[in-house]
């Protein structure tokens, strides 16, 4: 398993250097069917869109973007959210299959728990696009569209290295680690990318994890929950940082975990404020960046991903060649799933206006 992940991470690293974002460097893979070549969006049909939860801002944006873009392209859309409950998501997908969906777009809650319903989709001849998170152990997944998840992690790790000037500074610096849900394949890539950058400094003693919690299983956060992250950070603070020990960095794989960590620090920590990383540019976290309570985030423009998926849907239904740019990295246990990786972008207090406001992603008022 570990070997497999390492292998996957290595190949993603190689592919990462070839990518120039959502619009460039595309190879292609055939949808496996021949026939008429109507333009994308010309074929009307029913698209089932299964999203994990409304609790996190990003999935609301993803869902809304998918729905409006698909409808504008002439498709009927069945958009469902599953409150992070696997059984609910399974039954929502079953309903989409029986309603005669032409394509399914699925952002899974637990990538390994959809095998049976995926087989049903396959039997019914319905192509499946895994959205943002890979669906594991199933040969029914036709395509995968996501951001370069390994690159998200390396950008977070490199930010820590650069900000602490680890090449030159003597250290040691104290660091704690928070990643995501063990059922989310992305978490392996985020954490793996960050640790590939940070591990040499842990090994040389410049970075010290006082809690000793360094393995994925120790630092995972069920459901990416802010409350879970807050609880774990509170325990770490009282056990390892109570006597005035300085905490220098908290590597958080995303914004919901960063939020929990920030809340724990506000109530329980009086030392110099640590570097905190994140991902998603959620509104609460951008506000924290402006207030100096979170150092950086990763901007994954959900509009770009949605547009790419709408394009994929059109190409699949028109039986055209489907545009992908990675055919090596994402093996779901049944084979490599042809993927389209969009490029994640570094965000902090200096560039958030340009990235988020000028591009129309948020309004200035959203961040006040
Ligand atoms: C997504 C992240 C998100 C996390 C929690 C991951 O699969 O890629 O953007 O922060 O799930 O929802």
């Amino acid at each position: 398993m570990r070997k497999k992940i390492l292998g996957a991470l290595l190949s993603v690293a190689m592919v990462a250097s070839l990518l120039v974002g959502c619009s460039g460097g595309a190879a292609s893979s055939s949808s496996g069917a021949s026939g008429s070549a109507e333009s994308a969006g010309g074929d009307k049909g029913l698209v089932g869109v299964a999203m994990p939860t409304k609790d996190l801002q990003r999935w609301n944006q993803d869902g809304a973007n998918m729905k409006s873009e698909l409808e504008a392209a002439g498709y009927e859309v069945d958009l469902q959210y599953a409150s992070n409950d696997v059984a609910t998501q399974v039954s929502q997908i079953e309903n989409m299959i029986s309603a005669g969906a032409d394509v399914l777009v699925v952002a899974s809650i637990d990538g390994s728990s959809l095998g049976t319903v995926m087989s049903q989709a396959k039997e019914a001849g319905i192509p499946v696009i895994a959205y943002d998170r890979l669906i594991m152990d199933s040969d029914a997944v036709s395509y995968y569209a996501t951001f370069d998840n390994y690159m998200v992690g390396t950008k977070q790790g490199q930010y820590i290295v650069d900000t602490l000037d680890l090449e030159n500074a003597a250290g040691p610096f104290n660091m704690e680690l928070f990643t995501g849900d063990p059922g989310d394949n992305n978490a392996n890539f985020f954490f793996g990318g960050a640790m590939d950058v940070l591990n040499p400094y842990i090994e040389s003693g410049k970075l010290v994890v006082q809690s000793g919690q360094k393995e994925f299983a120790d630092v995972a956060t069920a459901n990416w929950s802010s409350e879970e992250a807050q609880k774990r950070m509170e325990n770490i603070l009282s056990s390892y940082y109570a006597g005035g020990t300085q905490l220098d960095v908290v590597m958080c794989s995303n914004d919901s975990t960063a939020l929990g960590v920030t809340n724990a620090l506000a109530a329980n920590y009086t030392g110099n404020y640590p570097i905190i990383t994140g991902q998603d540019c959620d509104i609460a976290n951008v506000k924290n960046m402006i207030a100096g309570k979170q150092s950086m985030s990763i901007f994954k423009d959900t509009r770009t991903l949605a547009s790419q998926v709408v394009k994929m849907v059109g190409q699949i239904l028109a039986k055209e060649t489907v545009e992908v740019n990675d055919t090596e990295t994402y093996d779901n246990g049944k084979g490599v799933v042809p993927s389209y990786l969009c490029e994640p972008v570094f965000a902090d207090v200096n560039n958030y206006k340009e990235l988020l406001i000028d591009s129309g992603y948020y309004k200035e008022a959203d961040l006040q």
Side-chain angles (χ1 to χ4, degrees):
M1 173 66 182
R2 204 177 157 74
K3 224 172 164 190
K4 228 196 251 169
I5 292 171
L6 275 179
L9 292 179
L10 271 181
S11 36
V12 86
M14 291 186 295
V15 171
S17 61
L18 299 172
L19 292 180
V20 280
C22 256
S23 51
S28 22
S29 145
S30 167
S31 59
S34 57
S36 72
E38 281 182 63
S39 64
D43 271 350
K44 298 199 169 63
L46 173 62
V47 182
V49 180
M51 289 280 141
T53 174
K54 284 199 154 201
D55 289 353
L56 243 70
Q57 188 196 319
R58 74 150 292 182
W59 302 115
N60 291 283
Q61 271 165 295
D62 284 278
N65 288 336
M66 288 290 304
K67 187 166 158 59
S68 61
E69 285 214 28
L70 284 166
E71 284 176 350
Y75 301 101
E76 197 188 325
V77 180
D78 179 8
L79 168 64
Q80 299 293 335
Y81 289 86
S83 307
N84 262 341
D85 181 58
V86 174
T88 304
Q89 186 165 63
V90 168
S91 87
Q92 288 172 339
I93 298 171
E94 279 168 357
N95 289 340
M96 291 169 184
I97 296 171
S98 31
D102 295 291
V103 178
L104 293 173
V105 177
V106 179
S108 54
I109 296 164
D110 180 337
S112 302
S113 301
L114 295 179
T116 310
V117 74
M118 286 296 104
S119 304
Q120 288 163 15
K122 192 177 178 190
E123 267 164 42
I126 306 172
V128 176
I129 301 172
Y131 186 93
D132 194 82
R133 298 171 171 173
L134 187 56
I135 298 168
M136 308 301 288
D137 306 318
S138 166
D139 63 358
V141 187
S142 320
Y143 297 98
Y144 180 35
T146 189
F147 287 83
D148 187 329
N149 297 307
Y150 182 79
M151 194 192 278
V152 169
T154 58
K155 280 184 191 257
Q156 293 166 333
Q158 196 56 48
Y159 175 79
I160 292 169
V161 169
D162 293 344
T163 310
L164 290 176
D165 190 20
L166 288 180
E167 277 305 301
N168 302 304
F173 299 101
N174 290 329
M175 174 175 73
E176 298 297 334
L177 304 161
F178 285 72
T179 195
D181 189 274
D184 179 355
N185 186 53
N186 287 354
N188 294 317
F189 282 82
F190 301 146
F191 188 64
M195 294 312 277
D196 280 354
V197 177
L198 297 172
N199 264 331
Y201 300 97
I202 296 179
E203 277 152 25
S204 74
K206 279 196 185 179
L207 286 174
V208 178
V209 181
Q210 291 290 345
S211 69
Q213 296 166 15
K214 287 185 272 205
E215 297 304 318
F216 182 90
D218 302 324
V219 303
T221 311
N223 275 333
W224 296 90
S225 147
S226 298
E227 292 72 24
E228 289 300 316
Q230 180 169 346
K231 267 192 246 158
R232 200 177 133 244
M233 188 74 236
E234 283 167 358
N235 287 337
I236 289 175
L237 286 173
S238 63
S239 305
Y240 303 96
Y241 296 90
T245 307
Q246 169 66 25
L247 173 61
D248 299 292
V249 190
V250 191
M251 195 295 292
C252 297
S253 285
N254 87 329
D255 279 354
S256 61
T257 51
L259 204 59
V261 164
T262 307
N263 292 342
L265 289 171
N268 303 285
Y269 178 74
T270 51
N272 292 336
Y273 205 79
I275 294 167
I276 299 179
T277 63
Q279 160 183 205
D280 289 336
C281 287
D282 282 347
I283 286 177
N285 299 74
V286 179
K287 285 183 179 171
N288 276 351
M289 288 203 293
I290 296 168
K293 294 190 216 158
Q294 182 172 323
S295 317
M296 59 83 78
S297 190
I298 299 286
F299 179 45
K300 302 195 300 187
D301 194 329
T302 54
R303 295 168 300 190
T304 319
L305 183 57
S307 301
Q308 195 61 40
V309 172
V310 172
K311 202 166 167 190
M312 269 186 175
V313 168
Q315 288 166 339
I316 290 170
L317 290 179
K319 303 197 187 318
E320 292 171 349
T321 297
V322 174
E323 189 182 358
V324 295
N325 60 12
D326 183 306
T327 51
E328 291 175 16
T329 307
Y330 285 98
D331 189 327
N332 76 347
K334 296 281 181 189
V336 174
V337 181
S339 307
Y340 201 103
L341 310 186
C342 301
E343 187 176 334
V345 177
F346 171 86
D348 71 357
V349 71
N350 299 313
N351 71 352
Y352 82 92
K353 276 197 178 142
E354 187 190 330
L355 284 181
L356 304 171
I357 312 274
D358 298 354
S359 76
Y361 198 73
Y362 293 141
K363 295 191 186 59
E364 195 110 48
D366 296 333
L367 303 176
Q368 270 143 26

